[in-house]
Amino acid sequence: MSARDDVLLRVRSALTGARTPDAVPRDYLLTGTLGTAELLDLLADRLTDYKAGVRRTDAAGLPAAIADAVQAGLTATGRPRLVVPPGLPQEWLSALDAEIIVDDGLSALELDALQGVITGATVAVAETGTFVLDGSTDQGRRAITLVPDLHVCVLFAAQVVHGVPEAVALLEPTRPLTWVSGPSATSDIELVRVEGVHGPRTLEVVLVG
């Protein structure tokens, strides 16, 4: 008998006669009751609490809001170099004074030389202040949202839901999902907050709607 067989035999023996586990309760909130305006207010409040910048605009003001978000999130002066995913709508970038580089498989070193990234998102959770990227063409590879120091994310009102169960129901689990709640940050044993450890140091969110 192999070690694996021995382990499985012990597991089966331990389970013999065990009672059927209790059913998992599913009476938690599956669908939120907040209206669109309330959802956007809640999401903005949560994002601000996480130290993300938030801008509210309508569709016509989106290019200007993106330009303002880029300007606010930059730490260096001069004309920035920004990476965008290949499917990002070009009209979003019309107000920017920046060098725009469309990602075509840039290396980590090439991404590290850029000041920021602009993406869309798939869904956002107002209750937790979280948005989800799934690698769609307006979001791109995970690497482009982790290496540059600034991430500007555009969210539309129709993409915002109340709770996590609603968001999960809208996601395709086989896609590369990245859940983002504020800028990348961690704390040491003395609770000293350090930002930018494993992702962008600065997050700017543009809410459209």
Side-chain angles (χ1 to χ4, degrees), residues 12-185:
R12 293 189 189 100
S13 298
L15 292 175
T16 300
R19 69 180 180 86
T20 302
D22 296 334
V24 177
R26 302 292 184 185
D27 55 351
Y28 46 77
L29 184 66
L30 295 176
T31 304
T33 58
L34 299 180
T36 299
E38 294 171 303
L39 284 174
L40 294 180
D41 288 344
L42 179 59
L43 177 61
D45 180 71
R46 294 289 193 268
L47 287 167
T48 301
D49 190 51
Y50 290 150
K51 301 186 183 302
V54 180
R55 279 166 177 72
R56 307 281 288 269
T57 186
D58 56 18
L62 177 56
I66 290 176
D68 289 344
V70 169
Q71 188 62 40
L74 292 175
T75 56
T77 58
R79 191 166 184 256
R81 301 176 68 230
L82 307 173
V83 62
V84 298
L88 195 79
Q90 289 302 300
E91 58 268 23
W92 291 8
L93 311 176
S94 58
L96 280 170
D97 179 18
E99 180 183 351
I100 303 299
I101 300 165
V102 179
D103 178 47
D104 60 357
L106 297 170
S107 69
L109 286 176
E110 290 171 319
L111 289 172
D112 192 46
L114 305 178
Q115 282 72 55
V117 57
I118 303 170
T119 74
T122 298
V123 67
V125 183
E127 188 173 40
T128 62
T130 304
F131 60 84
V132 186
L133 310 174
D134 73 353
S136 295
T137 57
D138 66 336
Q139 298 155 53
R141 297 182 298 139
R142 180 174 287 161
I144 69 172
T145 60
L146 294 181
V147 179
D149 205 46
L150 165 67
H151 183 187
V152 176
C153 182
V154 176
L155 289 169
F156 291 87
Q159 296 176 301
V160 181
V161 298
H162 186 190
V164 172
E166 290 172 275
V168 170
L170 297 173
L171 295 170
E172 171 53 57
T174 62
R175 297 192 66 83
L177 303 177
T178 303
W179 296 63
V180 180
S181 298
S184 167

